Amino acid sequence: MIIFVTVLEIVAPVFLLALIGFSWVKLGFEYRVEFVTRLAMTLAVPCLIFTALMKTEIDPSALTTLLLASILAHSAIVAIGALGFWALNMRQQTYLAPFTFGNTGNLGLPLALFAFGAEGLSYAMVIFAVSAILSFTFGIWIVSGGSSLMRALKEPMVSATLLGTLFLWQGWRTPDFLTNTLELVGQMAIPMMLITLGVAVARLKPGRIGQAFILTFVKYGVCAGVALAIGTALGLSDIPLAVLVLQTATPVAVTAYLLAQKYGGDADAIAGLVVVSTLMSVAAIPLLLAFLL
């Protein structure tokens, strides 16, 4: 009963905020996803990342180990997914990127914060940055056939991660007035992303639901298993290991659907994956948290 109440306290704010966004659209109110997403990813999230890393008390060597674990986990998931989709004769361009990259921003960051506090959020930022860099390079290369590392480095949230890591390593701090301002802006990020997630799910028109259920089961199992194995092998302590597993096993992000639309992929199939994996996460994430806590 205690673990149930603990998990409920963690996941309830996440899904209730997403439900607000979902209900907002269903009630017919206007919500400009493009504007809110740009505001969050260009301003709020970078401020959140930078201040969280700058103020964290985590040993930089632990962050380095987590960085390596995250890269290895993503690489292993890519290899497993590529082999599986090849064997099943399923289109790599459509399914490999959504299978590999989870919703480490909208869901992963608030879950890590509510489950493990400021320390967990700092670890989650590292994994989020790795996922963002890989999805904006390798992920787009899969979907479109071409990408550039420079494109990822120009993303504000990636730059904020690198700058925050530098401040952490050097022990630097911004002046109090600037830190307070950046923190205030960063506080917009998590509720904004969760509400936007609910809005996006409400507007999607999913297809191939049966296939999406099967792929989602496989994705959760593979991603959580790979992250747990690699994190354990590298000797991660309890909290960074739990955050790695939690972040890696998040559902398919709405970004995957947007990329499929932009580059001519099977957008309906990806919409099905986004909706089904997000809905299944209502049960999967509490179970995962109960295991990790």
Side-chain angles (χ1 to χ4, degrees), residues 5 11 20 45 49 69 104 107-108 115 121-122 124 140 177 209 219 255 290:
V5 172
V11 300
I20 289 174
V45 173
I49 292 174
T104 55
L107 276 181
L121 179 62
S122 298
I140 293 180
F177 77 90
I209 300 299
K219 172 180 169 60
T255 307

Side-chain angles (χ1 to χ4, degrees), residues 8-224:
L8 182 63
E9 290 174 347
I10 293 168
V11 300
V14 173
F15 291 114
L16 285 175
L17 279 171
L19 181 61
I20 289 174
F22 185 90
S23 302
W24 186 271
V25 169
K26 293 303 182 182
L27 290 172
F29 298 134
E30 181 183 15
Y31 194 97
R32 299 187 180 183
V33 171
E34 182 179 356
F35 166 74
V36 176
T37 301
R38 181 173 297 178
L39 178 64
M41 303 307 286
T42 305
L43 185 61
V45 173
C47 288
L48 177 66
I49 292 174
F50 174 73
T51 54
L53 287 175
M54 179 183 66
K55 297 183 69 176
T56 187
E57 301 296 329
I58 297 172
D59 183 357
S61 63
L63 291 179
T64 302
T65 304
L66 181 62
L67 176 66
L68 176 61
S70 182
I71 294 172
L72 291 176
H74 280 88
S75 301
I77 293 167
V78 167
I80 294 171
L83 182 61
F85 292 129
W86 173 80
L88 295 171
N89 197 28
M90 297 177 69
R91 196 180 182 200
Q92 305 269 357
Q93 182 181 0
T94 297
Y95 295 105
L96 185 55
F99 183 81
T100 303
F101 304 110
N103 199 340
T104 55
N106 296 57
L107 276 181
L109 295 182
L111 282 171
L113 174 63
F114 294 141
F116 305 106
E119 181 182 1
L121 179 62
S122 298
Y123 287 127
M125 297 292 186
V126 177
I127 303 167
F128 175 49
V130 171
S131 180
I133 292 173
L134 292 176
S135 63
F136 278 107
T137 52
F138 179 70
I140 293 180
W141 178 78
I142 294 173
V143 176
S144 68
S147 182
S148 168
L149 177 61
M150 292 306 297
R151 177 171 183 170
L153 294 178
K154 291 178 182 178
E155 289 292 321
M157 58 187 177
V158 177
S159 302
T161 302
L162 297 176
L163 188 60
T165 302
L166 175 62
F167 271 63
L168 170 64
W169 177 49
Q170 294 292 335
W172 295 340
R173 292 291 187 272
T174 53
D176 287 344
F177 77 90
L178 181 57
T179 301
N180 293 337
T181 302
L182 294 173
E183 286 185 326
L184 190 61
V185 174
Q187 288 171 10
M188 297 190 299
I190 287 178
M192 191 183 298
M193 289 190 297
L194 288 174
I195 291 173
T196 304
L197 173 63
V199 171
V201 169
R203 290 177 175 172
L204 291 178
K205 296 179 179 179
R208 304 185 187 179
I209 300 299
Q211 176 182 273
F213 271 105
I214 295 173
L215 285 177
T216 298
F217 272 115
V218 175
K219 172 180 169 60
Y220 280 143
V222 169
C223 291

